[in-house]
Amino acid sequence: MSIKLPPALRLETSWLPASEGRSQAYTLHLKNLSSKPIAGFTLCISGPGRVDPAVLIEGGTVGRRLSNFTEFLPPENFELGAGKTWTLTISALSWPFQHWTDGATGAYVAFGDGSTQSLAVEPTRSLANNAPLKRGAEIYPVPANPPVPVAIVPWPNAVSVSGKRSVPPGFAISSADPRATAAAAAFTGLVDQLFSVEGIVRPASEGGMPVVLEVADGFSAEAYRITFAADAVRIAASTQTGLLYGLITLGQVWRGAHLYPNAFRFPVEGEIRDEPSMGWRGLHLDVARQFYGKAEIKKLLSVLAWNKVNRFHWHLSDDEAWRVEIDAYPALTEVGAWRGHGLAIPPLLGSGAARTGGYYTKDAVREIVAHAKELGIEIVPEIDVPGHCFAMQQAIPELRDPQEAGSYYSVQGFPDNCLNPVREKTYEVLETILRELIELFPFKTIHIGADEVPLGAWSGSPEALARLREIGGDTMAEVHAKRLNVITNTHGADDIDGSGAAVLQSIFLARVQKFLAEQGCITGGWEEAAHGNVIDKTKSYLCGWRSVEVSAALAGQGYEMVVCPGQVYYLDMANSPDWDEPGASWAGWSEPETLYNFDPVEGWSDEQKKNLRGIQACIWSEPMTDRAVFDRLVFPRISALAESAWTRPADKSWERFRAVAGLMPVLYAYP
């Protein structure tokens, strides 16, 4: 019996930046390494980089294009001979490539009979830079003589310790109050997950040093005090979270002295007093562009807790996928959670021909929420509406105006991706979804996105144009109708303020925020939720992503702000402008030291600072098909963010932080 083997094919890609007299060039080489020719095929690729709608290409043509998925067609009657190479050169892209992760991260060949063949994809090679490509977290070495005697991140308010004793084998924790018992259990589970073989928690029979937990009045919600003595350590706080944070600080002191006994000490006596300078210390994670399983999310939450980060903004939907189970609409996950060749959502951002993706069942969500709660972390789910809804509309097509004609496009290249704000079906579906979400997330804070609605949104919907005419008059409606089929935002998100799109979105925002308030919820939104000034400022907050200045202006208007400017706090941005660094650069780049020293309220008035909730880092997952890229981009920058949110500015020191940051855990620890 003979086995028919697929042809041996390989894809190689390269990037040549533009220079004087020469256009940029993204070149694809499909090599036939087999002994037989192939014909009747197309080449399909995906990655963060996108082929421009006004494509300039040599060697073939573009078939289907959706965002960063592109199908390339060979010339008519083309045959790729044995040992031959088909070359495509593209000079029109949505932006010039700047990093090795910008090119194709997934590829396959599709044949006329419906079969496909996956292609191994190597990182795109720059013809102007051959430096070794960087992956994995940068772990700073611990110096021989660090500037502080104990290893703690984020640095506490007051450290007054002396002496150096032999490092205890671990800690035997005792408690009487149920809150203290819960804190001890949470800490034990935390170190078992992050540092399982170190034995930080161990019984007295194994030499564990006594640690006594005390619930005491007089502390703020997350504050604690650690008192060192020769025979025991005492930790006092008013809450379970405060006690947990005290234990985490003690664990960090222990690990520093245990792993680097010549550099750090375990004190004989003294105390540490501590409380955070900001109440909101957050991390946002986009799980739509890349899916992260339950185990990954739970471990990430543990890493956040070790950094005393207390908010997890969980971005559960976007154009590329829908990631949470909704009983009333099973198609959301049956259709919206999966990508692949021939599916409603094609391969995107490195996924290949095979069906790939995933979603969180309600049981998984409850487990994750409970894990976070034990660790002092509140979870804010985000369902991004009214824009970024391509996947949602593939699952529930009746959300569109049936008479809608033509197309408008998002900055990411998705057509017609916004929920219609004048259709009752929109609110019927969305309110049902939100009710199910509220039951899952007891923090009662729901983020509704409201970002990056295209300037031409709903310009082909008779229903929307009729409402716009009622509100804004004939001229506004006519101007808006002329935006149909016009690609307005190829190279950056539209500023829609004052446009017909903004007026229509304000109808949507006012109604959805009112609904959430009636359910007892706070509404979160990106800064664009301020368009129209229609949401109740006492029952909402905004995430300011464009700049500190925009956040300051919104705070001055009375909005409560979480500051997360993309130039610095977006962790998908590269660590440097160099090709060998992974990540994106559309907002800029920020190495860890830049992030650490960044002042999120520079130039703010005292009145504006009254509306500061805190800060958060944001992980957008487009470049993170490779989890070693995740480590490279997130660590140690998340620890730098955590210290910026916790430690008083006058007490910050990059030299001290760098000496200790190498002891902090990373998620994957891939090389």
Side-chain angles (χ1 to χ4, degrees):
M1 177 175 134
S2 63
I3 299 175
K4 184 180 178 181
L5 297 175
L9 303 173
R10 186 169 72 200
L11 180 68
E12 296 176 356
T13 64
S14 64
W15 167 253
L16 183 66
S19 62
E20 188 174 348
R22 185 189 70 207
S23 298
Q24 64 186 20
Y26 178 43
T27 303
L28 313 176
H29 299 287
L30 179 64
K31 298 187 174 184
N32 182 0
L33 305 178
S34 70
S35 59
K36 294 183 179 181
I38 62 170
F41 67 90
T42 60
L43 172 64
C44 303
I45 69 166
S46 70
R50 296 191 296 273
V51 174
D52 195 275
V55 62
L56 296 174
I57 184 171
E58 296 177 12
T61 56
V62 170
R64 184 184 180 196
R65 174 188 173 275
L66 179 72
S67 185
N68 52 68
F69 170 82
T70 308
E71 179 187 54
F72 295 102
L73 309 177
E76 191 173 355
N77 299 320
F78 177 80
E79 182 179 85
L80 181 57
K84 300 296 184 179
T85 298
W86 175 38
T87 298
L88 292 159
T89 301
I90 304 153
S91 54
L93 298 159
S94 293
W95 72 85
F97 289 178
Q98 293 179 272
H99 302 282
W100 65 266
T101 49
D102 283 338
T105 50
Y108 64 96
V109 169
F111 295 97
D113 62 3
S115 65
T116 61
Q117 182 179 338
S118 296
L119 302 174
V121 179
E122 293 295 321
T124 297
R125 182 170 55 95
S126 171
L127 300 181
N129 183 321
N130 61 0
L133 305 183
K134 294 174 180 174
R135 303 167 71 250
E138 182 175 4
I139 307 298
Y140 296 140
V142 173
N145 297 296
V148 287
V150 287
I152 306 171
V153 175
W155 190 250
N157 271 6
V159 178
S160 178
V161 296
S162 60
K164 179 178 182 180
R165 58 156 289 167
S166 59
V167 182
F171 301 110
I173 306 170
S174 62
S175 59
D177 188 284
R179 288 165 290 183
T181 302
F187 180 72
T188 300
L190 181 62
V191 296
D192 281 349
Q193 184 174 40
L194 296 179
F195 318 109
S196 58
V197 299
E198 294 182 15
I200 298 175
V201 175
R202 62 178 66 205
S205 61
E206 295 183 9
M209 183 181 189
V211 174
V212 180
L213 303 185
E214 301 172 344
V215 176
D217 296 331
F219 292 89
S220 61
E222 297 177 303
Y224 63 89
R225 180 184 68 238
I226 305 175
T227 305
F228 293 91
D231 59 342
V233 177
R234 294 184 177 276
I235 300 176
S238 296
T239 65
Q240 176 183 331
T241 299
L243 291 170
L244 175 63
Y245 284 165
L247 285 165
I248 289 169
T249 295
L250 179 64
Q252 291 182 357
V253 170
W254 182 90
R255 292 192 77 242
H258 175 69
L259 297 174
Y260 296 92
N262 295 325
F264 297 111
R265 70 179 66 166
F266 192 89
V268 174
E269 58 185 2
E271 71 175 20
I272 296 172
R273 289 179 172 268
D274 202 10
E275 64 180 328
S277 63
M278 295 184 187
W280 188 291
R281 307 177 304 280
L283 178 72
H284 158 285
L285 178 66
D286 156 30
V287 299
R289 275 60 179 262
Q290 309 289 350
F291 181 66
Y292 302 79
K294 180 180 71 173
E296 292 173 284
I297 298 295
K298 290 180 70 174
K299 186 175 179 183
L300 177 62
L301 290 169
S302 296
V303 172
L304 295 184
W306 198 255
N307 285 273
K308 302 186 179 77
V309 170
N310 69 347
R311 298 287 183 268
F312 180 57
H313 177 164
W314 201 1
H315 189 89
L316 290 165
S317 76
D318 215 297
D319 293 306
E320 292 85 351
W322 181 280
R323 299 297 192 198
V324 61
E325 180 181 31
I326 299 296
D327 293 335
Y329 300 104
L332 284 170
T333 48
E334 291 170 356
V335 174
W338 308 96
R339 304 197 287 254
H341 182 72
L343 300 182
I345 305 173
L348 297 167
L349 296 164
S351 57
R355 179 177 180 267
T356 57
Y359 65 93
Y360 307 100
T361 66
K362 287 191 169 183
D363 285 344
V365 170
R366 293 186 183 101
E367 184 178 333
I368 289 166
V369 168
H371 178 66
K373 189 70 173 178
E374 290 174 354
L375 299 176
I377 299 170
E378 298 288 1
I379 298 183
V380 177
E382 179 184 353
I383 299 298
D384 200 350
V385 288
H388 289 285
C389 287
F390 182 83
M392 184 180 183
Q393 290 179 324
Q394 298 308 297
I396 311 177
E398 59 267 31
L399 286 167
R400 283 174 59 86
D401 177 350
Q403 302 303 315
E404 189 166 357
S407 286
Y408 56 87
Y409 298 87
S410 74
V411 64
Q412 288 85 12
F414 287 95
D416 313 316
N417 70 332
C418 301
L419 299 183
N420 197 307
V422 305
R423 304 203 79 220
E424 278 305 306
K425 186 67 175 180
T426 295
Y427 302 102
E428 173 192 325
V429 171
L430 191 55
E431 290 175 9
T432 300
I433 290 169
L434 291 174
R435 283 192 178 94
E436 292 196 29
L437 278 183
I438 292 166
E439 185 271 330
L440 291 171
F441 294 97
F443 188 45
K444 303 278 275 193
T445 301
I446 308 292
H447 200 288
I448 60 170
D451 62 312
E452 296 186 330
V453 166
L455 190 61
W458 313 295
S459 54
S461 165
E463 293 178 357
L465 290 172
R467 179 68 65 85
L468 187 58
R469 185 169 280 105
E470 292 173 8
I471 299 170
D474 291 344
T475 299
M476 177 174 278
E478 289 164 8
V479 168
H480 194 60
K482 291 177 181 178
R483 294 190 172 116
L484 187 63
N485 297 327
V486 176
I487 297 175
T488 57
N489 52 8
T490 305
H491 303 291
D494 286 334
D495 181 2
I496 68 169
D497 200 18
S499 70
V503 170
L504 290 167
Q505 178 178 253
S506 68
I507 297 170
F508 175 88
L509 294 174
R511 180 158 171 180
V512 174
Q513 190 265 319
K514 181 175 182 290
F515 168 80
L516 286 171
E518 289 170 350
Q519 313 308 309
C521 292
I522 296 295
T523 299
W526 299 101
E527 64 190 44
E528 292 96 322
H531 288 322
N533 196 29
V534 295
I535 60 175
D536 185 343
K537 298 181 179 71
T538 67
K539 297 175 182 177
S540 62
Y541 76 95
L542 302 179
C543 295
W545 65 270
R546 290 184 189 269
S547 69
V548 167
E549 292 76 17
V550 169
S551 292
L554 290 169
Q557 294 172 31
Y559 291 98
E560 288 196 16
M561 299 301 300
V562 171
V563 178
C564 47
Q567 305 93 330
V568 185
Y569 287 170
Y570 273 25
L571 301 188
D572 53 312
M573 296 299 112
N575 282 281
S576 87
D578 298 334
W579 177 266
D580 52 288
E581 286 282 3
S585 287
W586 61 264
W589 59 273
S590 64
E591 62 184 351
E593 185 175 1
T594 301
L595 190 154
Y596 183 86
N597 289 321
F598 181 75
D599 181 0
V601 291
E602 182 179 5
W604 287 41
S605 68
D606 290 341
E607 199 63 28
Q608 288 169 328
K609 288 178 182 177
K610 291 178 182 177
N611 286 321
L612 176 70
R613 280 199 171 202
I615 61 177
Q616 73 179 28
C618 296
I619 300 172
W620 299 99
S621 293
E622 285 93 336
M624 296 179 182
T625 311
D626 180 346
R627 293 301 203 249
V629 168
F630 184 103
D631 276 356
R632 178 75 187 175
L633 292 171
V634 175
F635 306 104
R637 290 194 292 185
I638 187 58
S639 295
L641 183 284
E643 185 151 309
S644 296
W646 182 284
T647 305
R648 294 175 302 200
D651 294 332
K652 290 178 66 180
S653 161
W654 169 252
E655 181 186 8
R656 173 193 45 73
F657 174 83
R658 184 184 172 96
V660 179
L663 286 161
M664 300 300 284
V666 301
L667 185 55
Y668 299 104
Y670 289 163

